[in-house]
């Protein structure tokens, strides 16, 4: 590149907030802004977002981040912006009107469990039961995925049914909704999704990277309402004059967990765990689709260009991680802010025999039990709020260990990269990783090192990398070589012995077993 100032913008639309981060050509953040939006809980197990509020939150974030960057001395930030990358919460599903541009119902969030009855019905009717679609899409029938949410909308929302019948309906996950609006909306908005988000709908064939006709026919979903599938790094379209940054190309799009893989520069055999509202562990399996026999999902890792090779991954998805800390804060009032939990949990040396399993809406990988509900066991008169806080933190780490144990079994020795000591290094990112106690507990339970990068916001960085790659700001070699970034990384080494680790894991297993078959408890 020339000596001119070069910047890449990254829209990071998460489960609880939206952010816009501006990076320079050295992948350094020069301006950012974050806005939280409303979480809507119509009834137990249901979670929704207002799509219009999400649009507004993104617009505010862009404007405020530009203001901050300019105020900090980056006067040419708008002129120097070469492209925008987008990353988003996956599986969250909405349908809107092509003619009015308005959503026909709130967005149904990825963790929403209202489709349980639809899942049970399909499992009984289809020859393959719960795994009927695994061969094509790598995913089991679960409330988690977009197709089931779309079926619920088609069956229960009259406006959606009518719009589909009249040809006025558009389906999408949040990436699709944002890009359609950013590129014009009703006035020529581009209706696309990327391969990573499409891989989480249950409707895309993992091998062909196209909508699977057989699946659509089985579920009764019209291909006419589905977006075009594109790669993760290519110019999709330009932002229109209704938005800040008019004329800037959108050139990168990835689901949040896939973006984090790119931001962490995960190559074949390397894994990362992102700790956010949920926790998501992905192991890059290269150009091979590995079908799990231990409760994991086969999914896309990334495809960084239309002609680039497709990297696949094994994924373990955990529904409740940081959300459990939010629950302590918002529902129980045990802490006033999320940052207080580390200090509170550090007041005790251990959880005092208390084990907490946050199966609020069921358990995802590797259990896949939507009949599970949260439990807290081992409580005695000795138990205080510090023990509870520590048990909540430990619950994240136990769940990650469950997933990694399954990954080790599925991938085998040849599927993982290890260091000279024979250790498997877990890369971590996400807001919760600032908690040193959490990271140390994670290393202790894994019995192997945990690496926290200097920049823990790797999701936004991954989207920026994809966009920058598409417009020539970075090369693949620059992104995946890591350069000198590792110097500021922190490595947590395990400090507990194997026997203690084994006992704690066994106790955790007992606690998990207590969560099953609790969905029908009387109110």
């Amino acid at each position: 590149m020339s000596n001119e100032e070069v910047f890449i913008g990254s829209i990071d639309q998460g489960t609880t907030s939206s952010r816009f981060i501006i990076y320079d050509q050295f992948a350094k953040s020069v301006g950012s802004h974050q806005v939280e939006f409303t979480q809507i809980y119509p009834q137990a197990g249901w979670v929704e977002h207002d799509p219009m509020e999400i649009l507004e939150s993104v617009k505010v974030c862009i404007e405020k981040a530009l203001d901050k960057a300019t105020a900090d001395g980056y006067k040419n930030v708008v002129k120097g912006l070469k492209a925008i990358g987008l990353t988003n919460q996956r599986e969250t599903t909405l349908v809107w009107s092509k003619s009015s541009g308005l959503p026909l119902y709130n967005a149904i969030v990825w963790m929403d469990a209202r489709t349980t009855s639809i899942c049970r019905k399909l499992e009984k009717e289809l020859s393959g039961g719960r795994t009927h679609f695994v061969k094509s899409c790598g995913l089991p029938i679960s409330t988690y995925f977009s197709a089931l949410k779309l079926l619920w909308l088609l069956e229960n929302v009259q406006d959606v049914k009518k719009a589909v019948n009249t040809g006025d309906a558009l389906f999408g996950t949040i990436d699709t909704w944002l890009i359609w609006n950013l590129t014009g909306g009703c006035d020529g908005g581009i209706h696309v999704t990327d391969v990573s988000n499409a891989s989480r709908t249950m409707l895309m064939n993992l091998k062909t990277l196209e909508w699977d006709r057989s699946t659509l026919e089985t579920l009764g979903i019209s291909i006419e309402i589905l977006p075009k599938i594109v790669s993760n790094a290519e110019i999709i379209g330009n932002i229109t004059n209704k938005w800040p940054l008019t004329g800037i190309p959108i050139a990168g799009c990835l689901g949040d967990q896939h973006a984090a893989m790119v931001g962490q520069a995960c190559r074949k055999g390397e894994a990362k765990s992102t700790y956010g509202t949920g926790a998501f562990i992905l192991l890059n399996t290269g150009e091979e689709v590995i079908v799990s026999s231990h409760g994991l999902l086969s999914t896309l890792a990334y495809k960084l260009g239309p002609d680039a090779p497709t990297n696949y991954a094994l994924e373990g998805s955990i529904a409740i991680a940081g959300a459990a800390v939010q629950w302590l804060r918002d529902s129980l009032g045990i802490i006033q802010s999320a940052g207080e939990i580390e200090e509170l949990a550090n007041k005790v040396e251990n959880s005092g025999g208390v084990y907490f399993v946050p199966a609020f809406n069921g358990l995802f990988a590797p259990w896949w039990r939507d009949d599970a509900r949260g439990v807290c066991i081992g409580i005695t008169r000795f138990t205080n709020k510090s023990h509870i806080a520590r048990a909540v933190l430990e619950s994240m780490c136990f769940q990650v260990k469950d997933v990694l144990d399954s990954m080790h079994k599925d991938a085998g020795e040849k599927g993982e990269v290890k260091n000279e000591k024979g250790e498997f290094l877990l890369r971590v990112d996400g807001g919760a990783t600032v908690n040193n106690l959490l990271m140390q507990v994670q290393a202790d339970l894994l019995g192997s090192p945990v690496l926290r990068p200097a920049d823990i916001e790797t999701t936004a960085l991954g989207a920026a990398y994809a966009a920058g790659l598409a417009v020539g700001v970075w090369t693949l070699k620059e992104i995946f070589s890591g350069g000198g970034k590792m110097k500021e990384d922190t490595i947590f080494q395990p400090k507990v012995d194997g026997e203690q680790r084994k006992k704690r894991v066994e106790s955790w297993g007992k606690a998990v077993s207590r969560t099953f078959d609790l969905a029908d408890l009387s109110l």
Side-chain angles (χ1 to χ4, degrees), residues 13-256:
Q13 199 293 304
T15 307
T16 59
S17 64
S18 299
R19 291 185 304 163
F20 184 68
I21 301 180
I22 304 165
Y23 295 94
D24 66 14
Q25 63 212 76
F26 306 106
K28 174 191 171 187
S29 172
V30 301
S32 68
H33 191 75
Q34 180 168 322
V35 172
E36 290 195 6
F37 49 82
T38 309
Q39 312 303 302
I40 304 167
Y41 304 101
Q43 56 182 276
W46 291 31
V47 191
E48 298 176 359
H49 291 153
D50 178 350
M52 301 305 291
E53 186 182 4
I54 287 177
L55 285 183
E56 182 60 26
S57 71
V58 169
K59 181 176 284 189
V60 169
C61 286
I62 294 174
E63 293 171 341
K64 296 290 186 183
L66 289 172
D67 289 345
K68 288 178 181 178
T70 303
D72 287 342
Y74 298 96
K75 303 298 184 184
N76 298 319
V77 66
V78 174
K79 182 181 177 183
L81 266 171
K82 298 302 180 185
I84 300 295
L86 170 65
T87 181
N88 59 286
Q89 53 171 310
R90 304 173 303 168
E91 296 97 15
T92 297
T93 302
L94 65 154
V95 178
W96 64 95
S97 164
K98 191 188 306 182
S99 57
S100 73
L102 296 174
L104 299 171
Y105 190 83
N106 276 340
I108 301 178
V109 180
W110 58 271
M111 67 178 77
D112 185 285
R114 76 185 66 188
T115 58
T116 299
S117 60
I118 295 175
C119 292
R120 297 294 85 78
K121 179 172 177 284
L122 288 173
E123 288 172 11
K124 290 178 181 177
E125 291 177 353
L126 299 176
S127 59
R130 183 171 160 274
T131 61
H132 185 83
F133 301 109
V134 165
K135 188 174 181 181
S136 64
C137 69
L139 309 175
I141 294 172
S142 167
T143 60
Y144 189 12
F145 305 114
S146 306
L148 285 307
K149 303 180 198 309
L150 177 56
L151 288 182
W152 187 92
L153 289 167
L154 291 168
E155 292 177 8
N156 293 277
V157 181
Q158 193 62 39
D159 286 346
V160 171
K161 284 190 275 190
K162 181 179 177 182
V164 170
N165 290 335
T166 59
D168 190 42
L170 294 175
F171 156 83
T173 42
I174 296 296
D175 58 309
T176 304
W177 168 245
L178 287 174
I179 292 171
W180 188 79
N181 280 282
L182 285 163
T183 57
C186 297
D187 299 320
I190 299 171
H191 189 217
V192 300
T193 189
D194 74 274
V195 287
S196 64
N197 276 294
S199 76
R200 312 298 297 184
T201 62
M202 273 183 53
L203 302 176
M204 189 191 82
N205 187 296
L206 272 184
K207 297 288 181 64
T208 66
L209 307 185
E210 296 176 350
W211 300 121
D212 191 85
R213 298 276 181 168
S214 174
T215 301
L216 295 177
E217 185 177 338
T218 299
L219 296 177
I221 293 173
S222 168
I223 198 169
E224 302 302 321
I225 68 173
L226 304 183
K228 176 186 176 183
I229 301 172
V230 298
S231 76
N232 298 125
E234 61 181 274
I235 295 176
I236 296 169
N238 294 339
I239 296 176
T240 61
N241 58 14
K242 296 178 182 178
W243 288 81
L245 305 179
T246 301
I248 303 297
I250 300 170
C253 184
L254 307 94
D256 50 9

Side-chain angles (χ1 to χ4, degrees), residues 10 272 382 455 490:
S10 180
K272 68 89 202 173
F382 171 70
D455 181 0
T490 304

Side-chain angles (χ1 to χ4, degrees), residues 356-362 372-376 515 518:
F356 174 75
V357 187
F360 296 160
N361 288 353
R373 290 297 178 267
V375 302
C376 188
T515 69
L518 297 181

